[in-house]
């Protein structure tokens, strides 16, 4: 008898998990309040970051922390009134970002990143989404020689330990690659060779969803709040009535903390919010590369809908009103290096990244429930890690030997 599974959350992680379970003979229903790809997966930088072996840590230097405290930066912003509720999470995040602990976390995290491109390649080809993909890496540029040289040294270490490929760029190289960019303020940069970029992240998730449905899976509108144990399995209310399943996967991104709390778990999940806006260009200007202005903390991406400008992290509660001050600062800085035209979106898009204090996702079996599985907490790398997470979790659920060791990402590590 075919076993049924429900996957809660139709972002890139949820859709990828649903595909891999359906491929392995499960009858899968994907459930979300909105159509696939309309939440956090909609508003990312569009990078499959094979180079991203090192998770984003919390600053350790006192001088830098004091500069962040002024709350006037592009790469980070915080809501003062919400800080008291986030102190415990931030303290653990800071502790785990210590150089020694961060190095150990990087080595544990690397297997996910190392398989990110090849697992996306599988689903991109299966969903016939090649037209949405570029395979020419991305560029990180630096205004100071000191930051440039430190990045070169770090890239060399990553190449030796994790096989990450890169090119060192001079200011002249950047000018050649981006002739419409004002590059006089830049001392050089790095072009990461291995990552792929996505011209429309929402369209990619939609393509994966169509492929999932072609395998016999289906999408139904529903609310994770109605999920509960039922006999030896699980039951949830949907727009089509109650649905029962043998297994349930929670891939709910930033909403996972609330959903798991209803079932008696208490994961130390934090939220980093972020913003984006699309722009036209002036005249015949072209942006050829996904480009990060590293010392300002914003990224420009040449996507199908226009030039997407993305911000750094905003520390605020999930449901707090939008405060896109970082976007305004980023836009002002970006206009000094590239001829952006008018805004193309009616208002800034805002999304939330689900984060753990040790910077690694939560992937695996729920500690106290049979048939319940978790896949969330991917922080800045949700798009990057969707397919690799989906494959390895599906292998565990169906009793296969997982192709990578996921012990480091176990929910048990937080003793929920």
């Amino acid at each position: 008898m075919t076993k049924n599974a429900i996957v809660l959350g139709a972002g890139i992680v949820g859709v990828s998990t649903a595909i891999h379970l359906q491929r392995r003979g499960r009858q899968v229903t994907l459930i979300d309040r909105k159509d696939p790809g309309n939440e956090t997966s909609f508003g990312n930088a569009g990078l499959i970051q094979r180079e991203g072996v090192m998770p984003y840590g919390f600053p350790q230097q006192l001088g830098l922390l004091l500069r962040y405290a002024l709350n006037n930066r592009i790469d980070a912003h915080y809501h003062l009134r919400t800080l008291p509720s986030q102190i415990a999470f931030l303290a653990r995040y800071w502790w785990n970002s210590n150089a020694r602990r961060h190095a150990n976390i990087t080595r544990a995290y690397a297997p996910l990143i190392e398989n990110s491109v090849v697992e996306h390649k599988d689903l991109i080809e299966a969903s016939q989404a090649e037209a949405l993909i570029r395979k020419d890496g991305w560029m990180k540029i630096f205004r100071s020689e000191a930051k440039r040289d430190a990045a070169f040294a770090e890239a060399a270490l990553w190449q030796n330990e994790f096989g990450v490929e890169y090119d060192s760029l001079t200011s002249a190289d950047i000018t050649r690659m981006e002739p419409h960019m004002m590059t006089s303020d830049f001392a050089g940069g790095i072009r990461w060779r291995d990552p792929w970029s996505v011209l429309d992240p929402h369209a990619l998730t939609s393509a994966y969803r169509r492929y999932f449905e072609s395998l016999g899976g289906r999408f139904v509108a529903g609310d994770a709040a109605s999920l509960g144990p039922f006999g030896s399995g699980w039951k949830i209310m949907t727009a089509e009535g109650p649905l029962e399943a043998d297994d349930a996967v929670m891939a709910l991104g930033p909403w996972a903390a609330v959903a798991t709390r209803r079932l008696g778990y208490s994961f130390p999940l934090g939220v980093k919010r972020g913003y984006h806006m699309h722009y036209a260009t002036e005249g015949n200007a072209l942006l050829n590369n996904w480009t990060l202005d590293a010392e300002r903390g914003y990224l420009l991406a040449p996507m199908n809908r226009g030039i997407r400008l993305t911000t750094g992290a905003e520390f605020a509660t999930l449901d707090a009103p939008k405060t896109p001050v970082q976007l305004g600062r980023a836009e002002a800085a970006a206009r000094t290096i590239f001829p952006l035209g008018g805004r193309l979106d009616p208002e800034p898009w805002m999304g939330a990244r689900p984060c753990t204090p040790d910077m690694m996702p939560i992937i695996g079996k729920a500690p106290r429930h049979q048939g319940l599985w978790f896949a969330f907490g991917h922080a800045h790398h949700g798009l990057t890690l969707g397919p690799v997470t989906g494959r390895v979790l599906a292998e565990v659920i169906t009793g296969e030997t997982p192709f990578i060791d996921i012990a480091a990402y176990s929910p048990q590590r937080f003793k929920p």
Side-chain angles (χ1 to χ4, degrees), residues 85 98 106 110 119 123 141 169 181 190 197 254 258 264 321 371 375:
S85 65
N98 164 276
T106 295
E119 292 304 318
L123 299 192
I141 56 179
L169 305 177
M181 184 179 287
I190 288 175
S197 47
V258 175

Side-chain angles (χ1 to χ4, degrees), residues 91-119:
R92 292 178 69 175
Y93 183 18
W94 173 84
W95 187 85
N96 280 308
S97 299
N98 164 276
R100 179 181 58 81
R101 285 182 285 272
H102 196 227
N104 291 335
I105 288 168
T106 295
R107 284 187 282 273
Y109 186 66
L112 286 172
I113 291 290
E114 288 169 349
N115 288 281
S116 58
V117 168
V118 69
E119 292 304 318

Side-chain angles (χ1 to χ4, degrees), residues 157-239:
L157 292 174
W158 292 3
Q159 184 179 54
N160 290 335
E161 186 166 359
F162 304 110
V164 175
E165 297 295 330
Y166 71 98
D167 295 320
S168 299
L169 305 177
T170 65
S171 180
D173 291 330
I174 299 171
T175 299
R176 174 179 51 79
M177 296 169 69
E178 294 294 347
H180 293 105
M181 184 179 287
M182 288 73 85
T183 58
S184 58
D185 288 342
F186 293 96
I190 288 175
R191 183 179 73 88
W192 300 110
R193 297 180 197 166
D194 303 302
W196 289 3
S197 47
V198 183
L199 293 165
D200 186 335
H202 177 251
L204 183 66
T205 305
S206 297
Y208 287 4
R209 178 253 182 104
R210 292 191 295 272
Y211 170 58
F212 163 67
E213 291 174 333
S214 76
L215 296 174
R218 64 182 187 133
F219 171 80
V220 178
D223 192 337
S226 64
L227 179 73
F230 185 77
S232 60
W234 295 89
K235 185 176 183 179
I236 190 171
M237 291 300 301
T238 75

Side-chain angles (χ1 to χ4, degrees), residues 6-9 31-34 220-229 234-239 242-243 248-252 255-264 372:
I6 53 178
V7 177
L8 305 178
I31 298 174
D32 206 329
R33 296 174 298 178
K34 299 182 179 181
V220 178
D223 192 337
S226 64
L227 179 73
W234 295 89
K235 185 176 183 179
I236 190 171
M237 291 300 301
T238 75
L243 179 66
V249 177
M250 284 191 168
L252 291 165
W255 295 274
V258 175
T260 55
R261 194 174 299 123
R262 291 192 183 100
L263 296 172
L372 181 63

Side-chain angles (χ1 to χ4, degrees), residues 62-385:
L62 179 59
L64 184 55
L65 287 171
L66 291 174
R67 290 197 291 274
Y68 278 116
L70 296 174
N71 211 20
N72 60 2
R73 298 174 63 93
I74 297 171
D75 57 345
H77 179 69
Y78 62 86
H79 288 192
L80 184 60
R81 68 181 62 183
T82 65
L83 278 185
S85 65
Q86 297 180 320
I87 287 296
F89 168 81
L90 293 174
R92 292 178 69 175
Y93 183 18
W94 173 84
W95 187 85
N96 280 308
S97 299
N98 164 276
R100 179 181 58 81
R101 285 182 285 272
H102 196 227
N104 291 335
I105 288 168
T106 295
R107 284 187 282 273
Y109 186 66
L112 286 172
I113 291 290
E114 288 169 349
N115 288 281
S116 58
V117 168
V118 69
E119 292 304 318
H120 262 288
K121 180 177 184 292
D122 171 24
L123 299 192
I124 288 164
E125 292 176 351
S127 60
Q128 300 180 347
E130 291 93 339
L132 295 171
I133 305 301
R134 283 178 45 177
K135 303 177 182 179
D136 51 0
W138 68 282
M139 187 164 66
K140 187 174 185 178
I141 56 179
F142 300 91
R143 294 171 180 264
S144 69
E145 293 181 0
K147 293 289 186 182
R148 178 202 64 191
D149 293 344
F152 287 171
E154 185 173 67
L157 292 174
W158 292 3
Q159 184 179 54
N160 290 335
E161 186 166 359
F162 304 110
V164 175
E165 297 295 330
Y166 71 98
D167 295 320
S168 299
L169 305 177
T170 65
S171 180
D173 291 330
I174 299 171
T175 299
R176 174 179 51 79
M177 296 169 69
E178 294 294 347
H180 293 105
M181 184 179 287
M182 288 73 85
T183 58
S184 58
D185 288 342
F186 293 96
I190 288 175
R191 183 179 73 88
W192 300 110
R193 297 180 197 166
D194 303 302
W196 289 3
S197 47
V198 183
L199 293 165
D200 186 335
H202 177 251
L204 183 66
T205 305
S206 297
Y208 287 4
R209 178 253 182 104
R210 292 191 295 272
Y211 170 58
F212 163 67
E213 291 174 333
S214 76
L215 296 174
R218 64 182 187 133
F219 171 80
V220 178
D223 192 337
S226 64
L227 179 73
F230 185 77
S232 60
W234 295 89
K235 185 176 183 179
I236 190 171
M237 291 300 301
T238 75
E240 298 180 6
L243 179 66
E244 299 174 18
D246 301 287
D247 293 285
V249 177
M250 284 191 168
L252 291 165
W255 295 274
V258 175
T260 55
R261 194 174 299 123
R262 291 192 183 100
L263 296 172
Y265 297 92
S266 181
F267 292 107
L269 282 177
V271 169
K272 293 182 186 178
R273 305 198 314 180
Y275 298 85
H276 83 230
M277 172 62 67
H278 293 96
Y279 297 83
T281 61
E282 293 183 352
N284 63 348
L286 292 175
L287 182 69
N288 297 314
N289 294 274
W290 271 246
T291 303
L292 175 67
D293 185 348
E295 286 156 273
R296 295 294 185 268
Y298 65 89
L299 184 139
L300 293 170
M303 294 195 176
N304 285 346
R305 296 181 62 188
I307 305 297
R308 179 178 289 190
L309 171 63
T310 69
T311 69
E314 180 181 64
F315 293 90
T317 57
L318 183 59
D319 56 354
K322 290 182 180 180
T323 52
V325 295
Q326 289 164 286
L327 184 67
R329 295 168 184 163
E331 180 180 323
R335 288 187 183 280
T336 68
I337 70 164
F338 187 82
L340 292 176
R343 292 186 171 192
L344 298 178
D345 302 325
E347 62 177 294
W349 181 91
M350 184 193 76
R353 309 174 186 100
C355 306
T356 64
D358 66 1
M359 295 158 277
M360 293 191 293
I362 295 171
I363 305 171
K365 183 184 178 301
R368 296 195 299 273
H369 289 88
Q370 192 65 29
L372 181 63
W373 309 86
F374 296 147
F376 50 80
H378 293 77
H380 297 263
H381 288 150
L383 174 66
T384 295
L385 298 180

